[in-house]
Amino acid sequence: MKYVDEFRDGDTARAIGTRIAALAEPGKRYAFMEVCGGHTHTIYKHGLEDHLPESIRLVHGPGCPVCVLPMGRVDDAIAIARDPDVIMTAFGDMMRVPGSDGSFFDAKAEGADIRMVYSPLDALKIARANPERRVVFMAIGFETTTPSTAMTILRAAREGLENFSVFCNHVVVIPPMTAILDSPDLRLDGFIGPGHVSTIIGCEPYRFIASERGKPLVVAGFEPLDILQSIHQLMVQLAEGRCEVENQYGRVVPWDGNRRALEVVDEVMELRDTFEWRGLGWIPESALQLREAYAAFDAERLFTIPGRRVADPKACQCGDVLQGALEPWECGVFGTACTPETPIGTCMVSSEGACAAYYNYGRFSRSRTRGATSLPDPVVVGR
């Protein structure tokens, strides 16, 4: 395949759906978790559930970097941003994420200098242009975006920029997957592995999920046929009694990952002892911080921050959604008090959030909608 439309071909989707249905054992239920929020959006944008037998359930996981950020860290960032000497910079998704007392947008409306950027290099450019101000980059994301932050810090160090720092909230993907596997309330038969993260870390880190935890995992791309093919690969493994890590996204993901990117991250950052995740609590060695050698660029060392831990609003059930324990439409405020325009929780804010996917693509109940798929004629084999 060379072109995007080839990865969205309806005839191929029907053929894969038929093969998946043929592998489903009568009376057996299957549950596969798509770890990445990008997969969740593809699934509901293109109606991929309509190409699967009813016995297969797709469960969304904690792969949205904005969604997993606890409210306390948002409050800490806003506290830094309210310093009159500071220019806070952040990705667009972060601007609307609610803390306990409003979002970046709210703080900006009250006078804080908060600017949206598209990369940490944009923040570095702002620091060069404003030598009299202290520029802070709100760094978020899994291993996918961590190398760009690390490279920016190295460049700032080479240039001797003393007014640039990073508020580091980078997290790593394996610990939350382990926490989910340890949960007694969630039964999974396999994982659709995150494609973007795997371009950096490769496939080897997932091997323990298959060898020790007995769950097959297929690293998948983000087009409709990528996801359907990955589900087919999982079903084949289960039918054959195998449990392995496979790479469906081989056109992008090298098995060993991006070694140079990993080296840069290791040079600049190290694992924290523990970090708080929305919905999952405190997970050991699940996030990164700057090494002592780069303390001059660490906003947590340069600024006094509240460090408060804040519980989510009682009405919001983002935590359960992130664990896959709750479908977004099961939350009492979904689509009513909580919408993309008036979000209560992070899952409705982010472009990778599960609640945003369900809301934007009309998934307001458990029932699947035949004919709603953007791919032609969904298969109905094996009902």
Side-chain angles (χ1 to χ4, degrees):
M1 293 185 179
K2 297 181 180 179
Y3 307 105
V4 170
D5 56 353
E6 296 179 69
F7 291 91
R8 303 177 182 182
D9 180 74
D11 290 337
T12 306
R14 285 193 295 275
I16 297 174
T18 299
R19 293 200 295 270
I20 291 172
L23 290 167
E25 296 182 19
K28 184 174 180 178
R29 311 289 295 181
Y30 303 85
F32 301 127
M33 173 174 281
E34 78 275 3
V35 177
C36 183
H39 288 148
T40 304
H41 277 255
T42 296
I43 288 165
Y44 294 107
K45 177 179 180 180
H46 296 280
L48 297 190
E49 279 195 321
D50 294 344
H51 288 265
L52 301 174
E54 296 284 357
S55 58
I56 294 179
R57 180 170 68 97
L58 300 180
V59 181
H60 36 269
C64 165
V66 172
C67 303
V68 300
L69 200 63
M71 294 185 76
R73 296 293 288 186
V74 179
D75 286 355
D76 291 344
I78 291 175
I80 296 173
R82 286 185 170 140
D83 186 319
D85 292 331
V86 166
I87 300 174
M88 175 64 75
T89 59
F91 294 139
D93 274 3
M94 271 305 307
M95 299 296 289
R96 296 171 55 242
V97 174
S100 63
D101 188 27
S103 65
F104 271 177
F105 270 140
D106 295 321
K108 183 178 177 67
E110 294 167 0
D113 192 346
I114 305 175
R115 307 182 190 183
M116 187 178 72
V117 295
Y118 292 94
S119 82
L121 288 175
D122 290 341
L124 201 65
K125 184 177 180 180
I126 293 171
R128 293 192 197 103
N130 297 270
E132 76 288 353
R133 304 283 298 280
R134 305 169 76 184
V135 177
V136 180
F137 174 61
M138 175 75 172
I140 64 166
F142 284 88
E143 289 95 336
T144 314
T145 56
T146 307
S148 62
T149 301
M151 287 296 296
T152 302
I153 292 170
L154 289 176
R155 178 172 292 189
R158 286 197 300 269
E159 295 181 15
L161 280 176
E162 298 180 355
N163 66 326
F164 175 78
S165 63
V166 168
F167 183 48
C168 187
N169 294 276
H170 284 299
V171 292
V172 293
V173 75
I174 296 299
M177 294 179 69
T178 303
I180 285 170
L181 286 167
D182 290 338
S183 172
D185 301 322
L186 187 62
R187 185 192 69 82
L188 295 173
D189 296 287
F191 288 91
I192 301 171
H196 291 150
V197 165
S198 302
T199 62
I200 303 299
I201 68 172
C203 302
E204 190 66 29
Y206 306 117
R207 189 180 294 276
F208 82 98
I209 294 176
S211 62
E212 299 177 18
R213 299 305 185 97
K215 307 296 181 185
L217 182 146
V218 178
V219 174
F222 293 88
E223 290 299 325
L225 296 189
D226 287 326
I227 295 174
L228 288 174
Q229 183 181 8
S230 70
I231 295 170
H232 179 257
Q233 289 177 243
L234 288 169
M235 292 293 288
V236 169
Q237 285 200 48
L238 293 174
E240 295 177 354
R242 293 187 291 113
C243 187
E244 301 172 5
V245 176
E246 295 181 342
N247 184 11
Q248 184 275 336
Y249 205 23
R251 66 183 186 275
V252 173
V253 174
W255 185 268
D256 293 326
N258 186 326
R259 292 189 178 274
R260 178 55 185 150
L262 293 171
E263 289 170 359
V264 169
V265 171
D266 185 60
E267 178 181 350
V268 177
M269 301 179 188
E270 62 186 357
L271 287 171
R272 297 175 185 262
D273 291 336
T274 187
F275 191 76
E276 184 185 8
W277 291 62
R278 185 182 292 250
L280 296 173
W282 293 85
I283 303 179
E285 299 185 333
S286 62
L288 297 166
Q289 62 186 4
L290 272 59
R291 292 186 181 274
E292 181 68 31
Y294 295 93
F297 302 97
D298 189 349
E300 289 184 76
R301 306 183 197 217
L302 300 176
F303 295 89
T304 301
I305 57 178
R308 292 187 298 118
R309 303 282 67 88
V310 182
D312 290 341
K314 292 183 178 180
C316 175
Q317 295 179 275
C318 269
D320 293 327
V321 171
L322 287 168
Q323 296 180 68
L326 192 77
E327 299 282 358
W329 56 265
E330 294 178 299
C331 175
V333 295
F334 173 77
T336 53
C338 185
T339 69
E341 291 73 30
T342 58
I344 293 177
T346 54
C347 296
M348 189 63 88
V349 174
S350 173
S351 59
E352 295 187 45
C355 293
Y358 276 53
Y359 185 90
N360 290 332
Y361 303 117
R363 180 67 185 273
F364 292 94
S365 67
R366 183 179 300 279
S367 61
R368 300 178 183 178
T369 305
R370 299 301 169 199
T373 174
S374 62
L375 299 171
D377 303 329
V379 67
V380 290
V381 175
R383 302 297 176 206

